Structure formats: structure tokens, C-alpha cells
Amino acid sequence: MIKMVDLHKSYRVGTEEVKVLKGIDLEIKQGSMVAIMGRSGSGKSTLLNIISGLEKGNGRYTFKDQNLSDKSLNELADFRRKHIGFVLQNCAMCDSKNVFDNVALPLRYGKYNEIEIQNRVEKALEAMELSGTLHKTVDMLSGGELQRVAIARALIHNPEVILADEPTGSLDEQTEQTILSIFKQLHREGKTIIIVTHDRQVADACEETFCIRDGKIRSD
Amino acid sequence: MNMIFTEVSESIRRSRTASYFIFFQIIMLFFLVTILFLNYASLDRKTDQAQTLSSLNRYQLSDTLYNDGELRKLMSQPSFLTILKRLYINLEENLDEKYIYAFTQPAKLLNYDDANKEIFRSYYEEGKRIKPSMIDNIGPYYSIKAIQMNKQAIDHFQITVMDGQPFDIEDFKNVNSKNIPVLLGYEYKNIYQVGDVIKGKYLFEDINFHIKGFVKENSLVTTARRSELYLDRYIIMPAQHFIYSPVDDASFKFQQKHYLQLINGEIHSSNNGYVVRNKFEAIKKESGFFDTQLLGANNPSYNFVFASINEHIGLLTLIAISVFIVCVISIFILMLDKVDKNFKNFSVHFISGANLNHIFTYFLAEIIVMVCLPGVVAILFYKFLVDVSFVWYLILMTGCMATIILLTIIPVYNKIRRLEISMFLKRAG
């Protein structure tokens, strides 16, 4: 489903150019659940950003045989809206929006009508056992609840691929297990799950783990 | 559109204090711009004639002979007429300022009962009907609109004759004649011709008004009592200086009454009141006539506020420019700060399907709301309350708003364009 060949990515820091990815070769099958591990600064998040179309790298990137390498960032935004659900680090939310509006955000960019948005958001929150939080502000929720809201937002537009960047990073063990079981359930439903993690326990729950070392990927 | 509206209102609410401060600045700026515009735009749009004097201060002369007994006593003295004449000549020739005499003095004319002549009667426009009168068993005499003007008034109001001849210097002198040359207003054209003579009375003296010409349509003058006086229905008489001495008591009294009017004109000057007052006092002393005073500098066409504004126009312009610069700087500092402080929010938008164009659009929309909301309110207020040269005002305000928006959005655009989305995501974590 996702194939990357010889992917490079570098950033300019001041006057210097820092190479983060130095030739990534990666293939992720449809419906698989994989972990990406590596030290801090190894380029895990950068790889995730490229997979989601938030950034562009140099090299070949195909998604379901469609070449995304030559797409513009605006075209990649369209691709992201249709195919990708993203769970950010630390359950990032829009502070000025309530739970409903946070979850509805991908649908508003997808130009769904208000009735459909209402129905989908209610269903997504029900699936995460968060029906009573619809009009609450995000500061009223616990860490676990916030993460489930983030997952609801990532699923709201029914994407095929879920990307999660350290989804259990700031959670206690029990909540971590709850979140992990949600991902496993999604995997059973046929979603492709890609998780960036430091946590060996999370990686063990996945079918395959890729390690990034020296800008390249090693299958673990 | 809903998204833009939602994001803009959320953004303004998040930085309420700064947003309100900027709204206040923008309102101040548009207020100053409006004041400056009103000052530069002409408020009297009718004709250039009135505007020739609009930039000068006007000082009304007024004799202080209120007491009838005192006046009768003076008028009984033979030297009084000489003094009055001397004062008038000095005002006309030696004052070193403009002395403008334009006084509406009805003429009494015979045979004005035709329907087509009704519009020329005094107070016709006010809806009053003045009954004609018999004078020395002759009549009926009708009170007809007439104005007396000295040469300086004729010149400065640029009274133009379209048919016939204008007054020349000799028309302002009377060498013992009952014939007075007059100009007629435009609406008299279908009734008289150049060369016709109208018999009538002026200050109860029999006068033959010789028609010398017709003035241009919509000729406009300003007087102490009327800020706009159209001459179309008026007889225009030259303010004559009677060179000869009166031969009898009736003639003596006539000339006295005539000069008592002529000395109550206006001085128009660009000098301040102190300078004009000094010159006037010198004229009084030289003429030997002290029963007259100079009244305040009220321009009937402009109120005191605008006179003050005109006085400090340079300072106001400087303040307006400063406020403009402060507005621009405040807005783009606020926006750049919002770019820095909302990385987390933007990261959520990006993962939800937004791109940099969306983010830029939200900033642009917010700037437009902050600038154009007060701008539209200012334009509406101006339209309903002032409505002077509205199209030019609209162009000015639109240009002003567009300039502020452009100057403030460019730094924001440059900053957003240079950012990588990964920076948003890194700083959101």
C-alpha cells in the first residue's frame, strides 16, 4: 500500500543543511499494524509527516500505486483529507474549540454538510465512549479522554491509514492499554496503523517494527 | 466561508485586549482622516464665487448709534454727513484690507402687480405677501428685492455680466443724478432689456433705475445675514458715493441714511483680529467717527470647530500619519505574534487537511475584519450625517483600508511562506 524508495529529507538549520533521512526504503502492506522506532532526532516524526503528505521528501513515494512524489503540498493536503487520519503527540487539540468542533475539523475541511457532520461526530464519540463530552471544552478532559478524542478525530472521515505519533507517550499504564486496544480493534477492522513510538511494549503489539538508524530504516 | 468566520472570531476572542486596542486605533485613524477630508473638501459646493472669501476671516462693522435721540442729534449736525462720507472713503480706499459692502435694501417700484413679476417681490420665497403702499399719494409701490454692492464686493464675488455691460468705476459715483445704473438678475431677462428704465424709489427718493446688463445665472454672494444669496431675482445697485453736497433738507437726510448703511459693511482679511482691529481704529481716528465697532470673526459658512481645525491642519496631518504608522505596526506585530503562539492550533488544522493557504487566508480575513469593520461603520456614519463629496470620501477610505491591509499582510505572508509544516508539528508537541 505504502512504498518508499530511496527517500531523502534534509532541513536547513541556520546556514547548515542537516540530513535527517538518508535513503529510506520502506514497504507497508494494506491492513498491517507497524511500529517505527528510533532515537530522538532520528527522523521518525519526519517519516510520518512524509507518509501523511505534510512534508515532501526527495525520492519515490507511492500510495496504492499512485505516485505522490510529484504532487504539490496542496494536492497532498487533498490526499491527506481522504486517506490519512493523524494522531499527534500529546493529544494536540485546538484549545478554543470544544470536543465537537475538534472532532469535526477534518469534516469541515472535507466540506461535509452540517447534518452529516453532526451524525458522524456523535457516532465517532460514541465509539470512543465519549458521548457525554460533546460540548465540553478540552481542558475539562483527562489525558486518556483527550487521546480518545484525538483518535475519534483521526477516524471521523473514515481514512484507510491511521498515523499515530507517540500516542501513549504521556499516559499512565492503564490508559496506555486502553489506547492500544483501540488501535488493535481498528487494525482488526482493516485499517492500516503506523505508530511512531519509543515504547517497546507498544512496538511488540504491532506486526512489524522498523528502526531508523543513521537516516536509514532497518527491519527489526 | 463558515470556517473562515469561525477561525477569525476565535482568533479575535483569544487576543481580545490586543484586538480591541487595534480597533480603537483604527477608529481614531478614520476619525482623523474624516476630519482632514472635510477640511480639504469644500463644504460650500455651489460655486467658486463664495469660496474666494472662504479662506478669509470676516469682521462685521456695526455702528453703535442705538439711541434714537442721540442719532437724531447727530443727524441734525451738518458735519455729520461729511464725517460719514470720510469714513466710507477711508474704508474703501485706505483700510489696506478688503471692505465688502453687500446689503439687501428693497427698492420700491411702480407697476409690479403683473403675475410674472410676483417672484421679484420681497419675501416671495418666504411665502410672505407685502402689501404695496402709496407714497405721497402716488402708487402703489411694490417692495422689490434689491441689493447694494460696492466695487470691491462686485469684484470679489466675481459678478459676471452675460448680457450688457458691467459696472465701471464711474457708476459708483453720483454727481447729483436721479439716474442709477443697475444690473438685473438672470430671471429678469424675459421682462426687461438692456437700456430700459424702471421708475422707483430708494430710501424714499425717486430714482430711475437704468438697466445696464443682466448677470449670469446662479450668481452667488454671501452677506452677513445670508450665507447664500442668489442674485437671479435681484436688482443689483452700485453702492454710490455722492460727490455733491445735498441741496436741501430732504437730500441731506437721504444721503445720511445712505451712508449710515454704507459704513456697516464687512472687513475680510487673512490677518488675525488684533491686526484688523488696529487698522480699523486708525481709520476711525482719521475719519473722526467713533460710533462704530468691529464684531467677532464668525465665518457664517464654517463653524468654530472647522476654523480651529484649519488653524492646526499641519499638526492634525502629522498626528494622522503617526496613528496610521502605529496601526500598521500594531496589526502586523499582533499577527506575527499569533503565528508564533498558535503552532499547536495550526498543527491540528494541518493534520485535518489544511494547507498553508488556508492558514494565510485566516490571517488575511482577520486583518480585513479588523480594518474594514470600523471603516464601513465610518463610511455609513459619514453618508448619513455629513454626505459631502461622498464618492471621493469612499475612494479615500477604501484606499486607506487597502493600504493598511496590504502593509500588514505582507510580513505575515512572508513569515508563513518561509515556515515548514514540520516546524508547526514539532512545536505543537
Side-chain angles (χ1 to χ4, degrees):
Chain A
M1 186 190 205
I2 292 170
K3 192 169 179 181
M4 287 178 171
V5 178
D6 195 28
L7 190 80
H8 293 257
K9 177 72 180 176
S10 51
Y11 294 109
R12 191 159 285 282
V13 180
T15 51
E16 277 186 42
E17 195 167 314
V18 177
K19 286 187 181 172
V20 179
L21 303 177
K22 299 171 186 174
I24 296 283
D25 294 307
L26 176 71
E27 193 168 344
I28 298 172
K29 293 188 175 58
Q30 188 164 356
S32 58
M33 181 165 164
V34 306
I36 298 175
M37 295 188 79
R39 288 185 182 180
S40 290
S42 59
K44 307 185 294 296
S45 297
T46 302
L47 180 61
L48 213 63
N49 292 343
I50 293 173
I51 293 172
S52 68
L54 283 166
E55 291 186 75
K56 285 183 69 169
N58 297 315
R60 192 168 169 80
Y61 171 28
T62 52
F63 181 88
K64 289 169 85 170
D65 296 325
Q66 187 191 6
N67 183 15
L68 298 181
S69 312
D70 50 5
K71 298 277 183 211
S72 67
L73 283 172
N74 287 349
E75 286 167 326
L76 289 173
D78 284 337
F79 154 77
R80 188 164 59 252
R81 247 177 262 137
K82 289 175 189 150
H83 299 288
I84 306 289
F86 209 126
V87 180
L88 282 171
Q89 266 186 5
N90 296 329
C91 334
M93 292 282 149
C94 287
D95 296 331
S96 54
K97 295 184 194 303
N98 61 19
V99 169
F100 180 93
D101 289 326
N102 264 291
V103 175
L105 201 55
L107 297 181
R108 297 204 194 278
Y109 279 108
K111 298 197 173 40
Y112 289 76
N113 65 52
E114 282 305 309
I115 296 171
E116 197 160 357
I117 289 174
Q118 180 83 25
N119 290 338
R120 282 187 176 223
V121 170
E122 282 172 0
K123 269 191 192 152
L125 288 173
E126 203 184 313
M128 292 292 132
E129 295 174 10
L130 290 169
S131 296
T133 63
L134 212 61
H135 298 292
K136 281 187 181 176
T137 53
V138 294
D139 57 356
M140 292 164 86
L141 303 182
S142 67
E145 284 174 328
L146 275 175
Q147 198 57 297
R148 281 183 282 150
V149 170
I151 294 171
R153 182 177 61 204
L155 294 172
I156 193 73
H157 52 297
N158 200 22
E160 295 155 82
V161 180
I162 306 291
L163 307 178
D165 196 345
E166 304 281 2
T168 60
S170 54
L171 302 175
D172 59 78
E173 197 170 326
Q174 191 182 348
T175 315
E176 189 181 299
Q177 290 304 317
T178 308
I179 298 300
L180 210 50
S181 64
I182 292 172
F183 280 120
K184 284 177 182 172
Q185 176 58 31
L186 291 169
H187 175 228
R188 281 194 289 274
E189 288 170 9
K191 303 279 184 211
T192 305
I193 314 285
I194 304 171
I195 302 176
V196 161
T197 184
H198 278 117
D199 195 328
R200 181 39 79 174
Q201 207 174 352
V202 171
D204 287 343
C206 299
E207 291 170 340
E208 196 175 356
T209 302
F210 297 98
C211 288
I212 300 182
R213 273 200 298 271
D214 299 324
K216 288 179 187 285
I217 208 145
R218 317 258 184 239
S219 181
D220 199 15
Chain B
M1 201 56 150
N2 275 343
M3 276 287 288
I4 294 173
F5 177 75
T6 305
E7 295 307 315
V8 167
S9 54
E10 274 178 20
S11 178
I12 289 175
R13 271 202 300 274
R14 272 200 299 270
S15 53
R16 222 172 264 140
T17 309
S19 301
Y20 290 160
F21 178 62
I22 285 171
F23 270 124
F24 173 73
Q25 282 179 34
I26 302 271
I27 289 168
M28 279 292 300
L29 173 66
F30 289 154
F31 174 72
L32 285 167
V33 166
T34 303
I35 295 290
L36 289 171
F37 176 79
L38 282 173
N39 186 70
Y40 282 112
S42 169
L43 291 181
D44 184 348
R45 306 284 301 159
K46 303 293 190 293
T47 171
D48 289 337
Q49 294 173 4
Q51 288 170 29
T52 55
L53 293 174
S54 67
S55 58
L56 300 177
N57 297 320
R58 296 167 72 148
Y59 303 86
Q60 175 68 48
L61 271 68
S62 176
D63 67 63
T64 55
L65 300 167
Y66 312 123
N67 186 304
D68 278 347
E70 191 185 328
L71 179 60
R72 271 198 292 274
K73 189 177 166 190
L74 279 171
M75 286 176 80
S76 67
Q77 295 167 12
S79 60
F80 184 60
L81 179 60
T82 310
I83 292 169
L84 287 175
K85 285 186 178 182
R86 194 183 310 140
L87 176 62
Y88 178 67
I89 293 297
N90 282 333
L91 286 169
E92 274 278 291
E93 296 174 7
N94 300 323
L95 179 62
D96 192 31
E97 298 285 359
K98 285 186 177 40
Y99 181 69
I100 305 296
Y101 178 75
F103 185 72
T104 50
Q105 172 66 55
K108 301 277 190 190
L109 300 183
L110 285 167
N111 303 322
Y112 253 70
D113 52 355
D114 299 348
N116 65 344
K117 288 180 181 172
E118 205 177 345
I119 59 173
F120 303 109
R121 293 192 202 162
S122 298
Y123 303 109
Y124 171 81
E125 289 79 12
E126 289 85 340
K128 289 183 194 170
R129 294 200 71 134
I130 311 289
K131 283 185 185 163
S133 54
M134 302 294 285
I135 303 174
D136 299 329
N137 294 318
I138 298 168
Y141 284 92
Y142 291 81
S143 181
I144 304 299
K145 290 193 279 281
I147 184 170
Q148 222 176 62
M149 297 170 71
N150 66 348
K151 188 166 187 321
Q152 290 190 62
I154 296 279
D155 291 342
H156 286 282
F157 287 119
Q158 295 168 31
I159 304 299
T160 309
V161 172
M162 50 165 254
D163 185 15
Q165 296 294 319
F167 290 137
D168 56 48
I169 196 85
E170 295 305 313
D171 291 330
F172 291 91
K173 296 175 192 166
N174 191 300
V175 289
N176 195 11
S177 173
K178 296 290 184 190
N179 298 317
I180 295 182
V182 295
L183 299 172
L184 296 184
Y186 181 80
E187 290 190 44
Y188 273 103
K189 266 202 71 67
N190 294 331
I191 299 171
Y192 295 107
Q193 290 178 346
V194 174
D196 285 351
V197 179
I198 313 171
K199 286 189 182 306
K201 281 189 183 290
Y202 164 63
L203 294 178
F204 299 99
E205 280 285 298
D206 289 317
I207 299 289
N208 297 320
F209 299 105
H210 285 252
I211 298 167
K212 202 169 175 182
F214 295 88
V215 299
K216 214 168 78 165
E217 191 179 8
N218 293 328
S219 295
L220 175 70
V221 302
T222 64
T223 68
R225 283 187 282 183
R226 301 260 303 259
S227 59
E228 287 176 12
L229 184 74
Y230 287 99
L231 300 179
D232 293 337
R233 296 176 181 177
Y234 275 76
I235 296 171
I236 301 127
M237 298 163 57
Q240 289 190 318
H241 172 50
F242 291 87
I243 292 173
Y244 66 97
S245 296
V247 296
D248 55 28
D249 194 49
S251 174
F252 180 73
K253 283 196 170 89
F254 164 75
Q255 286 196 22
Q256 281 184 329
K257 277 187 255 177
H258 173 75
Y259 280 97
L260 276 170
Q261 281 178 182
L262 293 196
I263 63 167
N264 284 302
E266 291 182 345
I267 297 173
H268 289 247
S269 174
S270 56
N271 289 313
N272 64 43
Y274 179 75
V275 172
V276 173
R277 195 171 299 281
N278 281 345
K279 290 182 183 180
F280 182 59
E281 291 300 321
I283 292 289
K284 278 163 66 176
K285 193 173 172 187
E286 197 183 313
S287 309
F289 185 88
F290 300 97
D291 295 305
T292 180
Q293 61 183 346
L294 203 61
L295 300 179
N298 287 321
N299 187 328
S301 295
Y302 303 93
N303 63 34
F304 174 74
V305 171
F306 282 100
S308 303
I309 289 166
N310 199 45
E311 197 72 23
H312 303 290
I313 198 70
L315 180 63
L316 275 175
T317 307
L318 193 63
I319 293 172
I321 292 171
S322 305
V323 173
F324 176 85
I325 292 169
V326 167
C327 279
V328 167
I329 292 172
S330 301
I331 292 174
F332 84 62
I333 286 176
L334 177 67
M335 292 297 138
L336 292 178
D337 188 56
K338 284 191 182 200
V339 171
D340 286 336
K341 286 198 172 129
N342 284 286
F343 276 65
K344 192 164 90 160
N345 276 331
F346 296 146
S347 66
V348 173
H349 282 267
F350 284 130
I351 63 164
S352 302
N355 53 41
L356 281 171
N357 288 343
H358 288 110
I359 304 303
F360 174 73
T361 303
Y362 300 146
F363 279 103
L364 178 62
E366 187 173 347
I367 289 172
I368 289 173
V369 165
M370 290 179 92
V371 174
C372 293
L373 197 61
V376 166
V377 168
I379 289 168
L380 288 173
F381 264 109
Y382 185 89
K383 174 69 183 163
F384 289 114
L385 295 177
V386 181
D387 201 14
V388 171
S389 304
F390 179 71
V391 172
W392 284 113
Y393 179 74
L394 188 62
I395 291 170
L396 173 69
M397 288 293 281
T398 305
C400 208
M401 289 189 278
T403 306
I404 296 173
I405 291 168
L406 201 64
L407 289 174
T408 50
I409 200 62
I410 288 172
V412 176
Y413 174 75
N414 280 336
K415 177 150 189 165
I416 290 176
R417 199 167 58 95
R418 282 201 214 106
L419 288 173
E420 298 232 12
I421 291 179
S422 59
M423 289 175 66
F424 287 94
L425 298 165
K426 269 201 182 80
R427 288 170 64 170

